[in-house]
């Protein structure tokens, strides 16, 4: 949960920013000890037509015991497009977990098929959401199953479309200042936080993000 985040959807231009506690749903995959359990899982994913639920067949075992023998494992964060959901790259998540990574795939609020809002919320929140998930997983408590298993100092991000847009920003690609007041932008100059003329831009980044794979990142088509 990001406490005190600007609520882009409910903030009006030239008015006081509305703030709220922004929550995200995250799916985790990890190296596991199956203890004889047969691999196989069905992910139910809302589609672009929210009235249709797709069933995606995988080879993970939900709730399996973590295998800590090779821990700590590097972290990979998966960030979907707009709209999308946390299961669209489940095949990639499973493959990475089988090779010794902890994978965290995000449902971005205001940007899933069932919660979709107009793009300004996504433009502002996407890089912040990616950093929030990293910061949260860096504070896993001793009572939680993955305690001591996640090497958040070695984090990579896979971003598709809008996920790639947020990733490029988190890798140091600041936004064109012309974007701040463009027709696509959220109100009250919020995107200035992510723009290249913000003197605090680089210090806001998380140096634990060491690598990224941007798949069809959004933004260049508008020169942003």
């Amino acid at each position: 949960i990001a406490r005190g985040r600007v609520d882009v959807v409910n903030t009006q231009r030239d008015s006081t920013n509305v703030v709220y506690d922004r929550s995200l749903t995250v799916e985790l995959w990890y190296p596991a000890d199956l203890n004889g359990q047969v691999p196989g899982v069905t992910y139910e994913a809302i589609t672009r037509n929210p009235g249709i639920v797709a069933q995606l067949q995988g080879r993970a075992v939900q709730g399996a015991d973590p295998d800590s023998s090779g821990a700590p494992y590097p972290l990979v964060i998966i960030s979907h497009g707009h709209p999308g959901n946390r299961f669209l790259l489940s095949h990639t998540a499973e493959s990475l977990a089988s090779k010794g990574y902890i994978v965290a795939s995000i449902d971005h609020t205001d940007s899933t098929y069932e919660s979709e809002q107009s793009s300004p919320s996504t433009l502002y929140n996407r890089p912040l959401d990616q950093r929030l998930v990293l910061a949260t997983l860096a504070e896993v408590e001793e009572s939680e199953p993955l305690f001591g298993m996640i090497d958040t100092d070695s984090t990579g991000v896979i971003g598709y479309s809008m996920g790639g847009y947020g990733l490029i920003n988190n890798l140091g690609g600041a936004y064109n200042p012309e974007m701040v007041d463009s027709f696509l932008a959220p109100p009250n100059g919020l995107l200035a936080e992510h723009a290249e003329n913000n003197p605090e831009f680089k210090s806001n980044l998380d140096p634990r993000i060491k690598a990224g794979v941007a798949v069809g990142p959004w933004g260049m088509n508008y020169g942003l």
Side-chain angles (χ1 to χ4, degrees):
I1 297 176
R3 305 203 180 276
R5 182 83 63 86
V6 176
D7 184 353
V8 176
V9 173
N10 291 303
T11 293
Q12 303 299 314
R13 294 187 184 278
D14 302 318
S15 65
T16 303
N17 291 336
V18 177
V19 297
Y20 72 139
D21 292 340
R22 179 177 171 85
S23 61
L24 303 174
T25 298
V26 178
E27 196 82 11
L28 294 174
W29 288 262
Y30 49 85
D33 184 349
L34 297 187
N35 293 317
Q37 293 171 283
V38 178
V41 64
T42 299
Y43 306 106
E44 292 194 346
I46 301 293
T47 65
R48 190 173 289 271
N49 178 349
I52 298 175
V53 177
Q55 292 189 331
L56 309 178
Q57 304 304 316
R59 289 187 53 78
V61 173
Q62 289 183 315
D65 292 335
D67 177 4
S68 61
S69 61
Y73 301 105
L75 173 65
V76 175
I77 295 170
I78 293 179
S79 184
H80 62 72
H82 176 76
N85 62 53
R86 67 190 188 276
F87 292 123
L88 295 183
L89 288 175
S90 56
H91 54 292
T92 300
E94 288 189 351
S95 178
L96 287 169
S98 75
K99 294 172 175 62
Y101 295 86
I102 304 287
V103 183
S105 187
I106 309 169
D107 263 359
H108 291 280
T109 302
D110 303 332
S111 193
T112 64
Y113 292 128
E114 58 267 46
S115 71
E116 181 182 3
Q117 300 288 334
S118 57
S119 59
S121 173
T122 295
L123 296 179
Y124 176 67
N125 284 300
R126 191 52 63 98
L128 299 177
D129 285 353
Q130 293 172 4
R131 298 205 295 265
L132 171 65
V133 170
L134 169 52
T136 301
L137 291 175
E139 298 177 357
V140 169
E141 297 181 355
E142 190 171 356
S143 60
E144 297 175 332
L146 296 183
F147 176 76
M149 288 187 59
I150 311 174
D151 180 8
T152 52
D153 287 333
S154 300
T155 295
V157 180
I158 298 173
Y160 170 69
S161 191
M162 273 297 181
Y165 151 98
L167 164 60
I168 287 174
N169 194 247
N170 275 326
L171 291 175
Y175 302 150
N176 185 335
E178 293 182 7
M179 185 178 185
V180 174
D181 295 316
S182 73
F183 72 98
L184 291 167
N188 305 335
L190 288 172
L191 287 185
E193 181 178 344
H194 306 315
E196 62 189 23
N197 57 353
N198 173 15
E200 298 179 356
F201 168 71
K202 287 190 176 181
S203 62
N204 288 337
L205 302 179
D206 195 321
R208 293 174 292 188
I209 298 177
K210 297 296 199 298
V213 178
V215 183
W218 182 92
M220 192 62 170
N221 47 329
Y222 290 103
L224 305 178

